[in-house]
Amino acid sequence: MLNIHDLSISFQGEYLFESIAFKLSAGDRVGLIGKNGAGKSTMLKILAKELEPDTGQIASDKSLKIGFLKQDIDFDYGKTVLEESYEAFTEIKALENKLNDINHQLAERTDYESEAYHQLMVDINEVQHQYEVLGGYNYQGDTEKVLQGLGFSREDFNKLTDTFSGGWRMRIELAKLLLQNNDVLLLDEPTNHLDIESIIWLENFLKNYPGVVVIVSHDKMFLDNVTNRTIEISLGRIYDYNKSYSKYLVLRNELKEQQLAAQKNQEKQIQQTERLIEKFRAKASKASMAQSLIKKLDRIERIEVDDEDNSVMTLNFPVSVTPGKVVVEAHGVSKSYGQLNVLNHVDLLIERDSKTAFVGQNGQGKSTLAKIIVGELEHQGKLKLGHNVQIGYFAQNQAEYLDKNKTVLDTMIDAANETNRSKVRDILGAFLFRGEEVDKYVKVLSGGERNRLALAKLLLQPLNVLVMDEPTNHLDIKSKNVLKEALKKFQGTLILVSHDRDFLQGLTNKVYEFKNHKLKEYLGDIDFYLEQRNVENLRELEKKEVVKSQPKETNKPSYEEQKKVKSLQNKLSNLEAKIHSLEKEIKEIDVDLATNYDEVVSNPTFFDTYQKKKSNLEKLMEEWEMVQEEIDNLV
């Protein structure tokens, strides 16, 4: 489908990648990985033809349709969720308008015998056929299924998109891409704004996707569940293996170990040859042998070990002052958004130096309570912060708080005060913004780089309590590990909202589970909590909650039944096509009869043929009803 050859691109004189080549074929589900700033999003933009490379070619069919989910999207306001989602069907909507126009003309005209009226009848048949072929009679149902899969309820469908957060608007954009039947799907961090239920649904959708899927993600489990190929961008090169992420890492390490062993053996041979050359050089009788060995040495192709980019940010959260023993105390806190009740009379006590995890499904109030604690949301009930509490808050959409039109350096200087302004460049260097990189505008930074900048900015304020809502979004795996180590060393109080079990392990000593507008306290770490809930990971737990909340899903058909349903649905489609074709033929005959009766009936076989077509149509309709009934009984 896509053939990439000799691709290179540079920024400010430095290559992101140089002279790389690979091919993407139908069925490839590629995990595109690498450090923040390695060039993953840039690669997607090049593949989407939104960015021109310095050198190289991308060969593809002219008819190839590419869908691209970017981290930043432009959104038109004033439409409902359904209206915006229907924008995926431009051809179908155009045909709908055409059908409405023709039907309007037919309703107004009375010149039934005219050639113009006859042409309208022919036109409406052709447009209806095109409409059916493109899925015009199914697109509304398909749209609702995908929207519900991505977490929207039916009550949301007719709400204006303006009323939804950026994360939910991103879900609408993702829904549009999934509905478009693109040949190639390019997805940049698709799971960042999804809850576990939606991630599981998306995994199943992508596993069955017939085209090419290229995914940039730092969600290891998502990559392992979806991808069958991994391409890593590192130090301007790519490493390409037909394996999912975890299997790729094993192979990559094995390859490096083999390279190191081969390089070590080669070094021994080279040293031995060099000793012989020195030994023979001193003897005239051995001079020719020495020359021969020198030539042999020159011909040796030196084994190189693949370079690794091991640079990581340096992170340390210093505590400002010691707060009182009780940091946060809440009694009867409630919060509703219109008719939607999120928290209902919850109580909470956070003590100094405690490390607390907030867990549970999206929409259960974790981020809402975090915002109430930091004073961003009004609420009912009482919430009191302790003496000398200074909160540092990292929001789930923290990067959105950054001014895109400022440079990295200006962002930090504007957030600094007189005492720490002189340390701004040192802090940026610790977060891997070095040299000319501090002059980059925020708008050109990758999602991970923006999160690093937001973390750096957090260090400019005094704090003794850290409230962090999904801080690992967009961060590469090495940066996640650095953040985890910094939070382990943090001497203050930590409140952490996360779905990531690996990240939470070893970080917290208390867990609050959010469920049914209430909190339940578990006095232990994340492993103790999962043990109490009798599951292995948060993903499995939330998957259980999904099953409980959707009892209809428990009676799923077996694999054999699913196969039979699929076979019957194919049969139904074939029947529908035959019915449509026969109906079209009969309509054309009816038009001929109405406009040119004498000539048509002069054919002696006309009535037999005409009646046979009508009989066949009735039989097909009966067969269609039987197949449909059989499907209904199975589903």
Side-chain angles (χ1 to χ4, degrees), residues 254-266:
E254 286 176 359
L255 174 65
K256 190 168 183 185
E257 285 172 10
Q258 290 168 7
Q259 287 176 333
L260 283 166
Q263 188 186 56
K264 195 173 180 181
N265 288 333
Q266 189 184 62

Side-chain angles (χ1 to χ4, degrees), residues 562-602:
Q562 288 178 24
K563 276 180 69 177
K564 190 173 181 182
V565 168
K566 196 168 184 179
S567 173
L568 288 169
Q569 285 172 336
N570 289 336
K571 188 175 181 181
L572 200 70
S573 295
N574 289 331
L575 284 169
E576 286 170 352
K578 288 177 183 177
I579 289 167
H580 177 77
S581 179
L582 260 180
E583 283 179 336
K584 188 178 178 183
E585 287 176 28
I586 291 167
K587 277 182 183 177
E588 285 174 356
I589 293 170
D590 289 339
V591 170
D592 282 346
L593 274 171
T595 56
N596 202 3
Y597 180 83
D598 292 336
E599 188 177 333
V600 171
V601 299
S602 64

Side-chain angles (χ1 to χ4, degrees), residues 260-307:
L260 283 166
Q263 188 186 56
K264 195 173 180 181
N265 288 333
Q266 189 184 62
E267 281 298 322
K268 284 181 182 177
Q269 292 173 7
I270 289 169
Q271 288 170 11
Q272 188 176 355
T273 305
E274 285 173 342
R275 284 196 294 270
L276 286 173
I277 290 169
E278 288 302 316
K279 184 178 176 182
F280 293 152
R281 252 187 193 145
K283 299 178 182 178
S285 60
K286 302 285 187 180
S288 61
M289 191 176 289
Q291 286 300 315
S292 176
L293 287 171
I294 289 168
K295 287 178 182 176
K296 179 185 174 184
L297 203 59
D298 289 339
R299 285 195 300 270
I300 290 176
E301 190 174 330
R302 304 295 172 111
I303 294 170
E304 292 183 2
V305 177
D306 293 332
D307 292 329

Side-chain angles (χ1 to χ4, degrees), residues 343 346-348 369 512-514 517-521:
L343 297 172
V346 302
D347 298 329
L348 176 76
L369 186 55
Y512 278 106
E513 180 186 43
F514 287 63
H517 322 304
K518 297 285 187 182
L519 305 188
K520 185 172 181 181
E521 186 182 50

Side-chain angles (χ1 to χ4, degrees), residues 74-79 84 87 161-162 169:
D74 296 320
F75 221 79
D76 293 328
Y77 295 97
K79 292 178 182 172
E84 183 61 41
E87 292 295 310
T161 58
D162 314 33
R169 293 202 295 271

Side-chain angles (χ1 to χ4, degrees), residues 437-613:
E437 289 185 340
V438 300
D439 297 320
K440 282 184 177 178
Y441 282 93
V442 172
K443 61 187 173 187
V444 303
L445 299 179
S446 69
E449 287 172 320
R450 289 186 194 181
N451 264 24
R452 289 210 315 263
L453 179 57
L455 284 169
K457 193 178 169 187
L458 196 58
L459 296 188
L460 294 172
Q461 66 181 86
L463 55 88
N464 49 32
V465 177
L466 264 176
V467 179
M468 308 197 86
D469 190 355
E470 300 289 0
T472 59
N473 279 358
H474 297 294
L475 288 182
D476 60 54
I477 290 163
K478 286 181 180 175
S479 296
K480 276 187 188 181
N481 292 337
V482 170
L483 176 59
K484 183 172 179 175
E485 288 305 311
L487 293 177
K488 277 184 180 178
K489 294 173 188 172
F490 179 52
Q491 297 296 311
T493 307
L494 177 65
I495 299 172
L496 187 58
V497 180
S498 180
H499 288 107
D500 190 334
R501 177 190 175 174
D502 291 336
F503 185 72
L504 286 172
Q505 275 181 322
L507 272 184
T508 60
N509 50 32
K510 186 196 290 186
V511 174
Y512 278 106
E513 180 186 43
F514 287 63
K515 188 179 176 185
N516 298 328
H517 322 304
K518 297 285 187 182
L519 305 188
K520 185 172 181 181
E521 186 182 50
Y522 291 81
L523 296 173
D525 62 7
I526 194 67
D527 290 329
F528 171 77
Y529 163 71
L530 292 169
E531 186 183 312
Q532 293 295 303
R533 299 289 270 111
N534 197 28
V535 288
E536 290 186 6
N537 55 56
L538 294 175
R539 196 183 190 88
E540 187 181 333
L541 175 66
E542 297 192 24
K543 202 170 183 178
K544 278 189 174 183
E545 298 298 337
V546 173
V547 171
K548 283 181 185 176
S549 65
Q550 296 176 342
K552 289 180 184 176
E553 291 296 308
T554 57
N555 296 321
K556 285 185 177 178
S558 67
Y559 176 70
E560 289 302 320
E561 286 173 328
Q562 288 178 24
K563 276 180 69 177
K564 190 173 181 182
V565 168
K566 196 168 184 179
S567 173
L568 288 169
Q569 285 172 336
N570 289 336
K571 188 175 181 181
L572 200 70
S573 295
N574 289 331
L575 284 169
E576 286 170 352
K578 288 177 183 177
I579 289 167
H580 177 77
S581 179
L582 260 180
E583 283 179 336
K584 188 178 178 183
E585 287 176 28
I586 291 167
K587 277 182 183 177
E588 285 174 356
I589 293 170
D590 289 339
V591 170
D592 282 346
L593 274 171
T595 56
N596 202 3
Y597 180 83
D598 292 336
E599 188 177 333
V600 171
V601 299
S602 64
N603 184 345
T605 62
F606 166 75
F607 283 109
D608 287 341
T609 306
Y610 184 52
Q611 197 56 47
K612 191 175 181 181
K613 285 182 186 292

Side-chain angles (χ1 to χ4, degrees), residues 169-181:
R169 293 202 295 271
M170 189 69 80
R171 293 190 194 207
I172 298 171
E173 196 66 18
L174 177 58
K176 284 158 65 176
L177 289 179
L178 300 183
L179 288 162
Q180 282 171 353
N181 292 324

